[in-house]
Amino acid sequence: MKRNNIVLIGFMGAGKTTIGRWISQNADMTYLDTDEYIENMQGRTIQEIFTQKDEAYFRDLETETLQKLSGSLNFCVLSAGGGMPVREENRILMKQIGVVVYLRTSEEELVRRLDGDEKRPMLKGAVLKDRIHELMLAREQAYLDGADVVIDTTGKEADSIYNEIEDFINKNF
Ligand code: S3P
């Protein structure tokens, strides 16, 4: 039921969790986070998966998660891990699941929000600003390709972001 579900994509720190939780509380939808789903399924944290296994193993778990979820969600806001849209297969699955919203955030804002983050393995071992720039260069096209609609989040509160999403769905689906 594509129209009934919303899939939030975007870079780490784009606000997928905050916006997703806000929507679920205010629009009577359930909230699901692919990272939490994977952690529960694996019985270990994302950081542990990256250190005990590797990134490729985690990426396979992400695809497996979308395969399991597709077809079973209704009135759900799904927050997708920041790297999820990189695989074409994932982009197709997410578009089948729901209306895919790319929460776009400037690199400057991402640097501010992610400064001091200890939980995200993809940000380790490099200068934060450079790492964000490098990953954004590699990913932005995938975010754009994967999205039904792009919403710039800079300076906006959750309610106005949700209103934009709702308007888009009402006009297009
Ligand atoms: C990742 C983003 C994280 C999580 C993992 C990898 C990425 O999710 O899936 O650490 O590659 O961008 P958030 O976008 O929710 O932080």
Side-chain angles (χ1 to χ4, degrees):
M1 291 289 278
K2 182 173 172 79
R3 206 196 128 88
N4 291 346
N5 298 314
I6 294 170
V7 183
L8 300 177
I9 63 169
F11 204 83
M12 295 167 269
K16 302 182 295 281
T17 305
T18 309
I19 307 295
R21 287 194 190 282
W22 189 94
I23 295 174
S24 98
Q25 280 158 15
N26 290 276
D28 208 15
M29 297 171 87
T30 52
Y31 175 76
L32 201 67
D33 180 308
T34 59
D35 289 336
E36 281 173 18
Y37 185 94
I38 289 170
E39 288 183 335
N40 290 336
M41 190 170 68
Q42 286 279 302
R44 50 185 168 182
T45 64
I46 305 281
Q47 285 162 289
E48 286 166 345
I49 297 169
F50 270 75
T51 47
Q52 293 167 7
K53 296 285 185 175
D54 56 15
E55 186 187 347
Y57 183 86
F58 175 71
R59 299 301 170 199
D60 288 342
L61 290 175
E62 289 192 310
T63 302
E64 212 181 286
T65 298
L66 288 181
Q67 285 164 343
K68 279 193 192 149
L69 294 177
S70 82
S72 69
L73 301 180
N74 205 11
F75 292 104
C76 179
V77 189
L78 181 68
S79 169
M84 193 77 98
V86 172
R87 280 194 186 174
E88 189 188 7
E89 186 183 1
N90 295 350
R91 297 198 292 272
I92 294 168
L93 284 164
M94 289 191 289
K95 280 202 177 161
Q96 285 166 1
I97 290 173
V99 178
V100 183
V101 179
Y102 170 26
L103 298 177
R104 190 183 211 170
T105 312
S106 70
E107 289 182 31
E108 295 72 31
E109 181 60 23
L110 291 173
V111 173
R112 273 194 290 275
R113 291 191 198 168
L114 293 166
D115 187 28
D117 184 275
E118 297 287 337
K119 286 197 312 200
R120 292 173 166 101
M122 294 299 291
L123 300 177
K124 291 215 170 108
V127 174
L128 181 63
K129 176 167 113 359
D130 297 344
R131 186 77 181 126
I132 289 174
H133 183 62
E134 174 195 2
L135 283 173
M136 265 305 231
L137 268 183
R139 289 181 176 179
E140 173 104 62
Q141 194 56 50
Y143 290 142
L144 295 170
D145 290 346
D148 291 304
V149 58
V150 180
I151 297 187
D152 201 314
T153 64
T154 315
K156 287 181 195 158
E157 300 292 335
D159 57 346
S160 77
I161 292 174
Y162 177 61
N163 287 340
E164 283 186 47
I165 297 173
E166 217 187 5
D167 274 359
F168 174 81
I169 295 175
N170 288 338
K171 282 187 193 131
N172 295 280
F173 288 94

